[in-house]
Amino acid sequence: MTRNEAKTRKELIDPKLKDAGWFDHDWQIDPEYRITAGRIHFDGKTAKRAKPVYADYLLRYASSKAIAIVEAKAEEKHYLEGERQARDYASKLGLWFAYTTNGHEIEFFNLKAGTQEKVDKFHTPAELWQMYLDEAGLEDDPKNHVALTHDYYDESAIGQRRKPRYYQEKAVNNAIEAILHGRKRVLMTMATGTGKTFTSIQLVYKLWKAKAVKKILFIVDRNLLADQAYSDFDNAMDKDACYRLKPEVKEWPMGRDLYFGIYQSLVGSDDEGNETGRPDRFKEFPPDYFDLIVIDEAHRGARRSQDGKDASSWFRLLEYFDSAIQVGLTATPKRDESNDTYSHFKEPVVTYSLKDGIQDGYLAPYIIKRVTSNIDALGYRPDSNDIVDVRGKQLKVKDYLTPDFERQLSIPQRTRAFAYHLLRHLFSTDPLGKTIVFCLNQEHALDMAKYCREAFVQYKEKYGLSDYRGDYAVRITGADKDNNGKYADLEKFQDLESHQPVIVTTSKLLTTGVDVKNVKNVVIFRNVGSMVEFKQIIGRGTRTYEPQDSRKEKLGFFILEYANYSTQLFNDPEWDDEPQDFQDDGAIVVDEEAPAPEPVEDDEAKEEVPVSQTEKDDETVEAGSGIYVEPDPEKEKQIRYRMSEEFLSGRVVMAAESVALTGPDGKPMTSDEFKLYQSEILKDHIQDKQELNNIWKDVRTRREFEENAPSMGLNIEALTSIFFEKHGVRDVDMYDVLASLLFDEKYLTKEERIQKARELSPDVFALDTQDKEQLLSDVLEVYRDMEYRPLTFTTEFWQIPQMKKYGGFQGIKDIFGGLPETTAFVNGLQNALYDERIAA
């Protein structure tokens, strides 16, 4: 009897590896090495991971130096069956050597040389190491050896358990190789949320411990990040080796090994970029003082002067320390805005994009919801010359379009309408889901926070969150520091266990440096024209959060685009990731008595609002850096009308637009194209409507179908959006949505389905007591109120208020006379509602 793969590995491959010296230390082999975490499929409400990718063996020459992949197959299979996996895994990990084997025969691949050969045994660690040095063109001297093989910094001493992921190891090793080859400028391009700072800490630690560098300057752009890096290193390095550069210290000490600071302190400005009167403090160090400088957010600092007059103040620092090795970190791929960065550092030694992170499951996917109001879609024109703002200034009669709002004309009711929409979104997804709203300026952010709190008061009563205490929504901008220069609300927001506040509104302060893993909504309430800034904003939501309590986990997030067209940047040919879905929302009216607007026709909805010269002048981007520059508040007051809170009350509503969805290749699809794409997926699993019907009648098979839909590639939430766009109704069972969109069946409303069920199965509805009839009436009412959700009797179902009034499931069993009778009622109602004979 032949051995399966597990036995082949244990009985045939392990002994061969041991004979070659690969079991002498416990760190030499990573069996079942997890390369990816498994891509996350997110439909807006639930998230499910695909299977992670594992390599059978990862061989390490040192604990921090992976060197080869071994792919194993069962002994009955051809020994080359694992060739593709071995090559792919090695390439992904940045390794040159790989093996594939069935335990009897072994094939060895040298990807750097482009060769392969059949070998009798595995190479020893020393043999592979020598091959690596030969291919890398490095001498086997002590300096090189220690720099390449020194252990990583073990964070367990400070209570962390992070270990470098494969792409982080690849970045560190590639950077060290480049430095050992004499390269003085090294760039690592890694998407926001993929651990650039952690990777750089490991790089610096290895180089310093190896004595390849002695004096190091570590620069970031936020005090929070500088403090964290200093704290991490201070625990790892020798006593007094580290020093935190602070602007209030009059004279910085010489003689330390690692210095940590922010750009602003070194070039003589504060957090907000204001001059402190002590420019170019970096010149307090001699030009040749540092051996290594690590520059976070390197795209900011590498802006060269175009005319000899306007170089970035940070670039002056890089020029001054020209003799040092300079390692730049950026999340920005090469493009016009970052050409200076790439010109200075040259091509990156590693590139790990947002798309890579999402495909590997290390970053959260997202759904884009585009929303606009009626006055944004159609514009606003005063109907008389007699309208005045809150300052008594007469409002000029002209057409005001989206670019004018919050610049020339502030209408609080417009902000209020979007705030109510945001709260509706939160309470339909997660009312405690942390949310960042990027507004046009500080005043706009103040208004948005106020109206979010106002809307929350109404929603919390309706949805049973009346026990919430604290500020639900707050503004955090440069104007919101406390007396100690700290942002107290930001610290609360960053606390993963705190839900106070839930919403923070800002203008530009939080685009970078705010790493909150459980942010579930990123709201863009101003147009963003810079790809660099756009990526930074999107990066606020890309981190995953997987605590032990699964109820608190975050594996996907929403991007809500309010009355702007920033997400057009997803159509940029250089965009490097794939949105899960685009959704455009239907109408919501702040004044519940006011009628909803007529749906906007597709062609109308797709028209872009032109960018006015005012917008181009006021919403500027710092040349070369891509950093948003907020309009001057004094200038804003001079050019803007601010209307009263009652102005247009009840007349600003959310206008419906066409749905734009994203296909498997990351490109936009029309609704019809997306339906076809989804129907093809569905028909791979379900042959026809009859099979769908059989699945739907059985609670267990239906639940299994719904749970597996994301991993199948089905986006049920998107399909309901398309259905609503097409038909404008929500009281339809999901079964009818799928049958209508995917099998071209006529749909029934839930009420029509109930009536048909009564006609075809009268015995199910003919109950013999008043209590049973009342319970049936309540069950059907709940079913009607659940919009697209099917009728599913779960543990949670019996806990809703309409069922708890009967005493929960135990009380309902008493009404029917026992468990068998209750089960018969449940099954009978399910079969009746989803009877295959029911048709429109």
Side-chain angles (χ1 to χ4, degrees), residues 398-430:
K398 56 167 281 189
D399 290 321
Y400 294 93
L401 302 177
T402 297
D404 301 314
F405 296 134
E406 299 306 322
R407 294 172 178 83
Q408 294 187 39
L409 176 62
S410 174
I411 303 176
Q413 280 293 331
R414 173 177 174 268
T415 303
R416 184 174 183 260
F418 282 108
Y420 272 73
H421 178 276
L422 176 57
L423 265 293
R424 187 187 78 171
H425 165 80
L426 284 168
F427 274 85
S428 67
T429 54
D430 179 1

Side-chain angles (χ1 to χ4, degrees), residues 71-257:
E71 187 59 28
K73 294 299 175 185
E75 70 170 326
E76 64 181 3
K77 293 189 176 182
H78 195 287
Y79 75 107
L80 292 177
E81 283 291 338
E83 175 181 354
R84 174 50 54 195
Q85 287 170 286
R87 286 175 173 273
D88 288 348
Y89 296 164
S91 178
K92 192 174 183 72
L93 271 60
L95 306 179
W96 295 334
F97 309 132
Y99 300 88
T100 179
T101 180
N102 61 3
H104 295 289
E105 298 175 278
I106 306 171
E107 192 82 358
F108 173 66
F109 302 92
N110 183 331
L111 303 186
K112 183 76 184 302
T115 62
Q116 71 179 79
E117 62 176 325
K118 191 173 183 179
V119 294
D120 296 330
K121 58 185 179 180
F122 292 104
H123 297 93
T124 66
E127 289 170 341
L128 274 188
W129 181 246
Q130 189 57 54
M131 276 191 274
Y132 161 76
L133 292 173
D134 292 342
E135 295 294 353
L138 293 170
E139 296 293 329
D140 192 14
D141 61 41
K143 184 188 76 169
N144 289 352
H145 191 278
V146 176
L148 288 164
T149 63
H150 197 284
D151 293 342
Y152 289 121
Y153 166 45
D154 182 1
E155 291 189 319
S156 60
I158 59 170
Q160 298 273 8
R161 293 191 230 170
R162 292 183 298 178
K163 289 185 176 181
R165 296 168 178 164
Y166 82 87
Y167 61 87
Q168 294 168 335
E169 287 201 56
K170 183 177 177 180
V172 171
N173 285 317
N174 289 1
I176 290 176
E177 285 178 16
I179 290 168
L180 294 181
H181 275 295
R183 186 167 164 181
K184 304 282 285 186
R185 305 290 179 262
V186 175
L187 183 66
M188 295 191 290
T189 301
M190 297 169 63
T192 299
T194 58
K196 294 193 301 296
T197 305
F198 173 69
T199 303
S200 65
I201 287 173
Q202 296 296 354
L203 172 64
V204 171
Y205 180 80
K206 289 189 68 170
L207 290 172
W208 187 76
K209 283 291 187 179
K211 294 183 169 52
V213 296
K214 296 178 181 179
K215 299 291 185 182
I216 301 159
L217 175 60
F218 197 99
I219 316 171
V220 295
D221 70 334
R222 287 287 186 270
N223 275 305
L224 183 68
L225 296 177
D227 290 341
Q228 183 62 55
Y230 170 79
S231 175
D232 287 349
F233 274 107
D234 199 39
N235 285 285
M237 303 303 186
D238 300 342
K239 184 179 180 182
D240 295 329
C242 300
Y243 184 79
R244 174 71 167 88
L245 297 168
K246 294 186 177 181
E248 64 269 20
V249 177
K250 292 183 179 181
E251 187 175 340
W252 291 331
M254 301 292 159
R256 303 297 180 90
D257 288 350

Side-chain angles (χ1 to χ4, degrees), residues 777-789:
S777 176
D778 285 340
V779 167
L780 294 177
E781 190 60 35
V782 170
Y783 173 58
R784 293 186 188 96
D785 287 345
M786 289 192 300
E787 293 190 342
Y788 300 112
R789 300 301 306 155

